Amino acid sequence: MTFDPILSAPLAVQIHLSVAIVGVLLGPVAIYRQRRDLLHKAVGRVWVLAMAVLAISGFFIPAQVLPIIGFFGPIHLLSVWTLISLVWGIRAILRRDVARHRATMRGLYWQALGIAGLFTFLPGRRMNAMIFGDAPWLGFWLVGAVGFGALVWLLRGRLARGGLAPRTGLREG
């Protein structure tokens, strides 16, 4: 493992990675803690700030795949989505809509940090070079293994509830 790909990266990438790490570490404390006390609020505010900086710093990192307008590409839509989700989550809690706040923030955690973060381990990305060095193909295995595990976890829940068929809301009888 070498930190060279990160240490030699542009400042925007270094900021992006730093706040991503903060987001990954603080997210579970903020969104899965059972007690909604001062610690939840303090950690949650820091997490929201980290996510906002993460999204904004993302606009300063050129798209490596499919640049569409200048150096902006489809990946930058995730930054837009993150900022919108943060606003929705904050508005929900200000309206005391705890269920919507919880769902929005948990969804944001898994979409922005889980899914997008996982793809940073694909070959050609800085995190892949840092972690896997001379064996970049291991990134495909990591993404595949985690993706397969997530699929099994999601299907397990659906199968336990009675199968894969969509629910119609109609009862037989």
Side-chain angles (χ1 to χ4, degrees):
M1 183 161 97
T2 175
F3 289 100
D4 251 6
I6 302 304
L7 297 175
S8 64
L11 181 60
V13 173
Q14 293 177 357
I15 291 170
H16 195 73
L17 176 63
S18 299
V19 293
I21 292 169
V22 170
V24 166
L25 296 176
L26 291 184
V29 176
I31 63 176
Y32 288 107
R33 182 175 161 80
Q34 293 300 315
R35 294 187 55 200
R36 302 301 187 219
D37 53 10
L38 288 177
L39 178 63
H40 166 78
K41 290 178 183 180
V43 170
R45 287 177 177 141
V46 172
W47 185 78
V48 165
L49 178 62
M51 293 301 292
V53 172
L54 179 75
I56 292 166
S57 65
F59 291 121
F60 296 94
I61 302 171
Q64 294 176 325
V65 179
L66 297 172
I68 296 173
I69 301 172
F71 66 78
F72 294 109
I75 191 70
H76 292 98
L77 294 175
L78 187 56
S79 291
V80 172
W81 178 250
T82 297
L83 293 172
I84 290 169
S85 294
L86 287 172
V87 170
W88 286 347
I90 292 167
R91 283 180 56 199
I93 202 59
L94 291 175
R95 293 179 176 165
R96 303 213 187 288
D97 187 347
V98 175
R100 180 165 299 198
H101 171 73
R102 179 184 305 122
T104 301
M105 295 310 195
R106 285 182 179 178
L108 179 58
Y109 180 79
W110 289 108
Q111 292 162 10
L113 295 173
I115 297 169
L118 184 62
F119 286 117
T120 65
F121 292 100
L122 289 173
R125 306 296 304 262
R126 291 179 193 277
M127 289 300 291
N128 179 289
M130 186 178 98
I131 302 295
F132 301 119
D134 293 334
W137 53 271
L138 287 173
F140 283 124
W141 285 100
L142 174 67
V143 171
V146 172
F148 180 75
L151 182 63
V152 167
W153 183 77
L154 290 171
L155 290 177
R156 172 197 53 86
R158 292 204 68 177
L159 290 171
R161 289 192 308 265
L164 296 175
R167 295 179 183 238
T168 63
L170 301 174
R171 290 187 173 177
E172 291 184 24

